[in-house]
Amino acid sequence: MINKKVGIIGVGNVGSTLAYTLAHKGICSSIVLKDIRENIVEAMALDISQSANAAKSHTVVHPAKSGEDLKDCDVVVITAGIPRKPGMSRDDLLLTNAKIMKSVIEDIKNYAPNAIIVIVSNPLDAMVYTAIKTSGFKKEQVVGMAGILDSARMSHFILEKVGFGAGQIESSVMGGHGDDMVPLPKHSTVAGVAITEILEEKEIEEIVEKTKNGGLQIVKLLETGSAYYAPAHATSLMVEAILDNKKKIYPCAVMLDGEYGYENIVAGVPVMLGNKGVEKIMELKLDENQKKQFANSIASVKSLVDVLEERFF
């Protein structure tokens, strides 16, 4: 991946951990970090570059002084945004982060208009929608990270339940990144065997509920933050698939255009990732219950989009 350049906007726990992961994997030759806290960015760039040297990686990490430093990025990852604070309504959080997203997108439009954009900011599906609508970019150019993380969480809970198959568990989750996500047990396997053949229905229901609350569990335990190791690694897999044109199939948040019977709405579905971004959307056959759950997930995202259309765009 010689001469590949990645920009990371927002260098909190997820952004910095992502930069560290990419640098140690040697996924790209250059990483640019951008954040409003310039001293933090400079410190992170120095620290991660030095760690890459210790690991004999060829990746160099630079702090961005302005949006111009994003020039020629092949991929730009956006983690920028604020967490929900006490007394802040869901709509307040949504609109505040939409404003941040619009500002970030302006820099990308001006200096890296050909970059593939990977969004990690929350509320995830609404932020993907905001990025597409404010940028005017093709829908294939903007993709959200959620499904890989949710699938990894499901795999963890499957392993916890069955007690074997570490490294051989494949899980599948669709829908929005939140309480209305749609775990797919029939498409989730241990060493190629569907978990519906291994576990009782009640056990699968427990796994599904734990998956839906996987992020919240970590938030409650940390008390002053949220997960970052798993989100960062999940994002690194997407970046690697794009830079190396791997044509990997991952569940990601994308704008639908007729797929699964929906259009002009963002949802998590299996997609093929390559150097053109979202190169194909895979349509799984869903049973009636899964279709109903997916419809509920779409409705949840649409409620956020309606607020954006009324008060932001």
Side-chain angles (χ1 to χ4, degrees):
M1 303 185 191
I2 298 171
N3 296 328
K4 296 293 185 179
K5 182 177 179 182
V6 175
I8 300 175
I9 303 177
V11 191
N13 285 338
V14 174
S16 59
T17 306
L18 172 62
Y20 177 87
T21 303
L22 295 177
H24 279 250
K25 282 187 173 185
I27 285 173
C28 51
S29 55
S30 177
I31 299 172
V32 177
L33 305 180
K34 190 173 189 302
D35 197 291
I36 57 173
R37 305 165 302 166
E38 292 185 4
N39 60 321
I40 298 295
V41 170
E42 192 165 351
M44 291 292 182
L46 283 168
D47 196 9
I48 296 169
S49 271
Q50 289 162 10
S51 74
N53 274 283
K56 304 303 180 188
S57 168
H58 67 272
T59 303
V60 180
V61 185
H62 304 277
K65 299 296 183 184
S66 69
E68 191 171 0
D69 291 311
L70 297 171
K71 186 177 179 182
D72 298 326
C73 277
D74 297 279
V75 176
V76 177
V77 179
I78 304 174
T79 73
I82 65 166
R84 189 168 175 176
K85 299 175 182 176
M88 179 181 280
S89 71
R90 184 191 67 165
D91 288 357
D92 288 340
L93 175 67
L94 172 68
L95 295 168
T96 298
N97 281 349
K99 290 174 184 175
I100 293 170
M101 182 61 65
K102 183 178 180 181
S103 173
V104 167
I105 288 295
E106 283 301 313
D107 273 344
I108 299 172
K109 283 177 65 178
N110 290 333
Y111 301 110
N114 297 317
I116 304 302
I117 302 168
V118 178
I119 293 175
V120 187
S121 307
N122 282 317
L124 190 281
D125 305 279
M127 290 303 100
V128 173
Y129 185 92
T130 301
I132 292 173
K133 293 298 183 179
T134 57
S135 67
F137 291 155
K138 296 180 294 184
K139 61 185 179 64
E140 293 82 6
Q141 195 175 345
V142 184
V143 57
M145 191 292 296
I148 300 176
L149 171 62
D150 294 329
S151 296
R153 286 173 172 161
M154 186 173 180
S155 293
H156 169 80
F157 294 122
I158 291 171
L159 177 60
E160 193 177 68
K161 182 68 70 175
V162 301
F164 61 87
Q168 295 180 292
I169 300 174
E170 296 288 340
S171 299
S172 186
V173 177
M174 285 178 58
H177 183 51
D179 295 342
D180 296 308
M181 70 177 73
V182 187
L184 302 174
K186 290 181 181 178
H187 295 278
S188 301
T189 62
V190 179
V193 180
I195 64 169
T196 51
E197 302 294 320
I198 302 172
L199 297 169
E200 300 293 330
E201 186 175 342
K202 185 177 180 181
E203 292 175 312
I204 292 173
E205 287 174 0
E206 288 176 9
I207 289 168
V208 167
E209 285 307 306
K210 283 186 174 182
T211 301
K212 289 182 177 182
N213 292 294
L216 181 60
Q217 180 185 8
I218 293 172
V219 168
K220 286 181 176 178
L221 290 167
L222 286 175
E223 295 182 352
T224 57
S226 57
Y228 49 94
Y229 291 121
H233 188 81
T235 307
S236 78
L237 296 176
M238 293 174 65
V239 173
E240 188 172 12
I242 294 165
L243 291 181
D244 205 28
N245 198 27
K246 285 191 170 183
K247 313 292 186 186
K248 282 264 193 176
I249 308 297
Y250 286 127
C252 302
V254 295
M255 181 74 80
L256 299 180
D257 186 21
E259 296 87 2
Y260 295 92
Y262 298 96
E263 58 184 22
N264 197 38
I265 196 69
V266 172
V269 295
V271 305
M272 180 189 294
L273 287 181
N275 59 13
K276 295 178 183 177
V278 179
E279 300 197 357
K280 186 176 183 180
I281 293 177
M282 321 300 289
E283 292 198 59
L284 301 178
K285 290 184 178 180
L286 305 179
D287 61 31
E288 289 306 310
N289 184 49
Q290 290 166 342
K291 287 179 181 178
K292 183 178 179 181
Q293 290 179 354
F294 190 60
N296 289 338
S297 182
I298 291 286
S300 180
V301 176
K302 190 175 186 306
S303 70
L304 297 176
V305 167
D306 288 345
V307 173
L308 289 172
E309 291 291 353
E310 181 183 343
R311 299 174 56 185
F312 183 74
F313 295 119

